[in-house]
Every structure is written in structure tokens, then in C-alpha cells.
Amino acid sequence: MSMRGGSAISLPGDDLDSMETGTVLRAGVRVMARGSLGYRIATPLSIIAGLINGSTMVFSAVAIGWATDHLIIPAFTDAEVPARSWWIALGAIAGVSLLRVITIVTRAVAAAYVQYGNQASTRRALIRQYAKLGVPWHRRHSTGQLLSNVVSDVEVQWAPMQFFAFAMGSVFMLLVALANIARSDWYLAVVALMLVFVVLLANFVYQRVMSPRARDAQRARAAVSSVAHEAIEGEQVIRTLGIVDSESARFVRAAENTRVANTRMSFVSAAFDPFVELAPTATVLVVLLIGSGRVSAGELTVGTLVETIYLFLTMALPLGMIGRFLSILPLAVVGNKRTASVLDSVDYTQFGTETLAGEKALGVHVEAVRFTYDGALGEAIGPVELRFDAGDVVAVVGATGSGKTTLVRILARLADPDTGIVRYDGIDVRSLADGEIETRVAVVSQTSFLFDDTIRGNVTLGRDIDDLQVWRALDVAEAAEFVRGIPGGLDAAVGKRGASLSGGQRQRIALARGLAGSPSLLILDDATSALDPTVECDVLDNIRREFVSERGGDRRCTVVMTAARKSTVTLADRVLWMNGGVIAASGTHTELLAHYDGYRQIVDAYADGMDIDELDAAGGRS
Ligand SMILES: Nc1ncnc2c1ncn2[C@@H]1O[C@H](COP(=O)(O)OP(=O)(O)OP(=O)(O)O)[C@@H](O)[C@H]1O
């Protein structure tokens, strides 16, 4: 069996290749600065702690230099060391150490607060945005991409924040250290400047070498999750088609690519880290060489030389830290671009302010509607002109691909037509207020998604629906009997995606969910396809009796169902025959059967073996 395509995953918004290193740096620092602004206490706290911590490294060097001149040298020359000097040295070293501990803890806690706070708020913003963005936007973006936006993109976007205050403190420490060395000796200051220059240059090279590798690793990780996500989603297909081995091989390839990409990254840091660690230590030899000559010439004290050497040795830490910060900045820029591409999207569903009066069935009017899917060559439907009176029970019949699902999606405003208008009770659906359609229209589709919750939870979905209404909806959906038979009844957990139920049972729970909100327009898109014809007839009759029939003169619900089985279409007041995206004919089942060969062929092709008379006897109408 041939293997399916490779696992190369593209990262939209990942145009890092075209960006200069300087531009990436500026963009990255801007992201960090913007993220810091929202934290009025934690940000200044982490920066101040970072700056103080940077200074403490210089203080330590000064204290050690002072102790060398005032304690160690006099000890060698048998000179008297006043007790005060010992106390000063002890106090300075202990004080600086304590300050370092406090600032390290403060900096780490405050930086974590800012980093994880930003992660959480970006994730919240993304989730809010996903909810706001319209169905067309969601159709253009895969589940894997949405997941990777909200998980790994957010993570890499804010990862450098943990080093931001540290890196700022490190730059400050380097400046103070350079000033301190320059104050003592210009020759040594030049050596220090050269060291900083060489290490920063090495960092620059490191960034250039590391960036593409880091990006490859990020792509490889995304590929692993995408393959895993697809395999979990398609588990049943994979098992039934016997392609477990090829799917496993695909996963192993993706995992292997990740291993290789990560290892290539490790090679670069393995070569770079010792350099950054050892460069200051190696420079100490130069400092010793120059410094000892300056001490002999009486232009430098031993204490100052020791202080300078100590400074060089401690410089390894801030230089390494700046390097680490810079090395993950490019990925933060990529992460930010990817999350921003979602957050800046304005592909929202537009709402108006109109509301629908009363609770009765909705009349639906479709005027000159046309619709083409993004990237499709031709129109999916159009022009479509329709009128359903309140309380009509309508079946939409047509060959596969004739546009039934597209039509009912437009009726429920899951998509807006390119041209034309859909009206409920005369009101353009686009001028209805947000939430108005959801409370009055229920859509039940063929793929009945159930949450990993109880039966009650799946029917109510957190809406204000009591058990009486739940049982009524289950009764109408012919689900009450089997729910009563399940241990736990309404409280029984259905498992992941309703795994503990059969396909037909799942469909009936999904149907009950649609009915429980007492909709004024019920749209069933092949929603009874998993039921046997007898049960399907019972369900549709129940719906007609309980949800459509007149109450004080008003019908309560208009029903539109896509179907092909005779058992469904014969129960409708009216049948629409769709062909090639247009309504080819409209009338009762008997009329269409009598006058349209194409219609008869479709219905016969889907014939379920149940005789038409049998259906009539079961309560159907034609
Ligand atoms: N997301 C999409 N992108 C592009 N074209 C699409 C998309 N969904 C459907 N189409 C096309 O639009 C046309 C109508 O599809 P639709 O799903 O409405 O048909 P249908 O009658 O419901 O089919 P079926 O009975 O097989 O569900 C078809 O030609 C189909 O290929």
C-alpha cells in the first residue's frame, strides 16, 4: 500500500528568511516590550531586580579587590589589619551575596509572572477570537493549525520573556563593569571591550546559524502533532483499512525528523556554549599579562587587578544570558506573527440589532441566493428562490453534490450568500442581533458530535433546560427508552465523542439536543440517516406532532430536512428537488414522482426497501 504524503508542515506567517537579523532583533524586543507593558508591578520589579543583580556582580568584584588590598596583601607583609577592615569585608561580601539571592528570586518570580501571564492572556484572546471569527474563516483554517496557534506558537512567542529582565540586567552589568575597568585602567578596558565585541559577534553568528535550525525543529514538532492529530481523528479508518503499519511509519518518520532537527540544534549550541564560557576565561590570560606589567610599573594595585580578573570571569554569565535571549528571539517573532495573523483577522460574522418576535414557527424566504466556496471553480448553489411558510415541513432531495447541505447552511446562517437574502419572518438574517438565530434555530447534522459528558449534559449543553424538557426531547427523538435502559439514565457518561453509544443512538441524542431548545426553525441535514426507516418515521411523526402542530392557531416549528430516503421525503408537506445547485422542482412527493424522472431516479436509488404504502400506513404522507 502506498504511503501517504510527507509530513512537511508550513508555518503561515513564517517569513523569517526574508528578515534581516537586525529587524528580527528589533521586532523581538518590541514583542517583549509590548508584553511587559501590561504588568505595572511585575515588569518594573523584574527589571529593577535584574539591574540590581547585574550591579551586585560588579560590587562583588569591587569587594574582593578591596579585600585583596586591605586584608590579603597586608597579611603577606605582616602589616597590622584593623578589625574594622575584616568587618567591612565580611559585611560587604555577605551583604552583596544576600542582595544577589534576593534579586535572583525576585527577578525569576516576577519574570515568570509576566511570561506566563502573557501566555495566558494571548491564549484567552485567541480563544475569544476563534469564537468571534465567522464560519468561512474557520473553514479556511485546519484544526491542527488552530491548536498549534494556541499551544506552541504562544509558548515560543513568550519564551524569551524569562530572560528579558536577566538580559537587560546583563547589559547593565556589562556597562557598569566596563566603566569600572576603564576607571581603573584604560588598557584593560580596551581588552574588556574587545571581549564583549567578540562574544557579541559570536552571538550574531550563532543566531544566524541557529535560526533556520530552530525553525526546522519547530516545523518538525508541528508535523509530529499534525500526524498524531490526524491519526487519532482517523483511528477507525486506519484500523478498518489495515493501514496501521503505514500510518505508524509516517509517525516514526515525523518523530525521526524531529530528533534530527533537535540534534542539529544541539550541535550548534554544543559548539557555541563552550566558546562563550571560555572566552572570558581565556581573556583573563591577556589581562594577567597586561595587568602584571601595570602592577609592576606601580600603575595598578594588586587588588584592582584581582577585581578586574574577577569581573572578566563573571562576565561569562551575562554574555551567555544575552546569547540565550537572542537565540530564541527569532522564534518569538515567528510565534508572534502567527498569533497576530489570527488576532488581527476581522473576518467576523456581522450582526444587526433586530429581534424575532414571539416563539412561533418562522417563515423563511430565500431571495436570489448564490454561493461559491473559496477556491471552488463554480457556484455551489444559485440562483435559489424559496418560500417556506411558518410550520411547513419541507424535504430537500437531490443527488450527492447537488447543493443540499450548502442551502441548509445558508438557511441557518452558517454561511452568508455571495448575493441574495435570507429572511426569517421578513427580516434579513444579517440584521438579526448576535445570539438571536442560535436561540430560535436548531441545526442537526449527520455527524452527531457528542461531548465527553453525561446524556443530560449533551442534551442541555448548559442551557436552562429542565429534566422534564430533556425527557420530552428524548421521547420525540425515540431515545427515551434506551436512555432509561442505560445504568445511570440521564447521568450516564457517553464517553469520548459518545463512544459508548451506537451511531443511531448518538444521532438520536443529537436530535434531542436540537429539539430541547424548542426551536422555531429545525434544520435536519441527513440527521436521521443512521436510524432504521421505521424509527426514522416515528421520529419525524413525533416531531410533527410535538413541535410543529398548531397551538392556538400558530404552528410552533418549521422543519427543513435534507433527505433521500422515501421514508423521510414522504413525511414532508413539500419536497424540493435540487439539481446542480438550483431548485429543479417543488411539490409533494407524489407530484414530483409523477412528473420528474430525475427525481424518481434519485429516490429509487436511495430506496431503503420499505414499500411506499407501508410508509403511508406508518403515518407518512405523500
Ligand atoms: N468546503 C467546500 N469547498 C469547496 N467546494 C465545496 C465545499 N463544500 C461543498 N463544496 C461543493 O459544493 C457543491 C455542493 O455541495 P453540498 O455539500 O452542498 O452538496 P450536497 O447535496 O449536500 O451533497 P451530499 O449529499 O453528498 O452531502 C459540491 O459540488 C461540492 O463539491
Side-chain angles (χ1 to χ4, degrees), residues 139 373 376 380 399-406:
R139 290 181 84 95
Y373 285 99
T400 181
S402 58
K404 304 180 295 292
T405 297
T406 308

Side-chain angles (χ1 to χ4, degrees), residues 337-355:
K337 272 174 164 291
R338 282 164 57 81
T339 55
S341 74
V342 176
L343 295 174
D344 295 343
S345 247
V346 286
D347 204 350
Y348 301 134
T349 305
Q350 301 295 325
F351 296 100
T353 52
E354 304 254 20
T355 53

